Amino acid sequence: MADGFPPGYRWLYEYAGIIHRDISLDNLMLRKVGDKVYGVLNDMDLAITVGVESASSKQRTGTKPFMAIDLLQLEPPVHMYRHDLESMFYVLVWITSRFHDGKEIVDAPLQEWADEGGVALVSEKYRFIMSEPPQPTPAFNPLGCWVVSLQTMIRDGFSAKAKYRSELAIAVRSKAAYPSTFKDETLGGFVTFDKFQAILDAKLY
């Protein structure tokens, strides 16, 4: 973006102070102007202002297949920027593993993300994060390295959070010194826009 502004959604968050809260396949579009193609983030109906906590900021919002794991819990936390980054990752996985030549493939993987709900979907997505991702379709095979790298980034964040919780539980029981505060808004510094963007900026070949 010109004049030193960061690209796309980062601008929306850092300059306009907005969290979208419904990053999904239908809300991400492309617009062609001449020889250039631009990404468009649509539908701001569920957006909230950064730093404003209200009843709405803790509501379970989003499109189920693309919702962050935290937000699928029975008592979801306040929606954070990293939740939208996680949703962007799920959109990428969905497109690269289910579509080829503009059409959805037969017996496409990840259908349970659309069919299941509640605790079952939380478990399914957590299992996905901790396991090998589905193979990209031939049309999107070059983007497979993005999927693996982003999945690793998110997995490392969840692992860091689990480790912190274990250390905290041990400290409570043994009356030892508590571990340093965990930065949940970035999963301990593992899930940030800079790291997300660095992965997308890496050469595909």
Side-chain angles (χ1 to χ4, degrees):
M1 188 172 287
D3 302 322
F5 286 113
Y9 185 57
R10 189 172 192 173
W11 181 92
L12 187 70
Y13 176 76
E14 294 183 353
Y15 286 83
I18 291 173
I19 299 179
H20 187 275
R21 299 204 304 168
D22 190 16
I23 305 294
S24 62
L25 184 65
D26 290 341
N27 286 339
L28 292 172
M29 300 181 293
L30 297 176
R31 178 169 64 92
K32 188 173 183 180
V33 179
D35 295 331
K36 294 185 177 181
V37 178
Y38 299 89
V40 178
L41 179 58
N42 189 38
D43 191 353
M44 306 294 290
D45 289 350
L46 298 177
I48 58 172
T49 302
V50 175
V52 176
E53 290 193 19
S54 63
S56 65
S57 65
K58 290 188 177 182
Q59 289 176 350
R60 186 180 292 105
T61 60
T63 303
K64 191 169 57 173
F66 314 109
M67 287 174 65
I69 292 173
D70 286 352
L71 302 177
L72 291 165
Q73 305 286 347
L74 291 177
E75 296 185 8
V78 171
H79 199 118
M80 292 178 277
Y81 184 47
R82 71 166 171 87
H83 293 139
D84 279 2
L85 293 179
E86 188 178 336
S87 292
M88 290 180 192
F89 166 65
Y90 294 143
V91 172
L92 176 65
V93 174
W94 189 270
I95 292 172
T96 57
S97 66
R98 293 174 61 93
F99 289 88
H100 180 69
D101 289 339
K103 297 180 181 180
E104 198 163 39
I105 64 175
V106 178
D107 296 325
L110 309 178
Q111 186 58 39
E112 60 273 13
W113 288 10
D115 296 340
E116 294 181 355
V119 175
L121 186 52
V122 171
S123 299
E124 185 62 42
K125 280 196 169 181
Y126 192 76
R127 247 190 326 268
F128 167 80
I129 290 295
M130 296 298 169
S131 62
E132 185 176 347
Q135 185 69 25
T137 62
F140 292 106
N141 192 57
L143 303 186
C145 59
W146 282 356
V147 172
V148 173
S149 296
L150 290 171
Q151 182 187 34
T152 300
M153 177 189 74
I154 296 171
R155 178 192 300 143
D156 288 346
F158 278 123
S159 297
K161 187 173 183 176
K163 180 181 178 183
Y164 170 79
R165 285 178 169 175
S166 296
E167 292 174 347
L168 183 60
I170 292 171
V172 170
R173 286 169 173 76
S174 63
K175 297 183 179 180
Y178 285 8
S180 301
T181 302
F182 186 79
K183 295 182 179 179
D184 193 43
E185 64 272 15
T186 60
L187 284 180
F190 284 96
V191 182
T192 67
F193 184 89
D194 286 335
K195 292 186 176 182
F196 196 103
Q197 188 64 51
I199 290 170
L200 299 187
D201 286 342
K203 291 183 178 180
L204 295 174
Y205 301 98

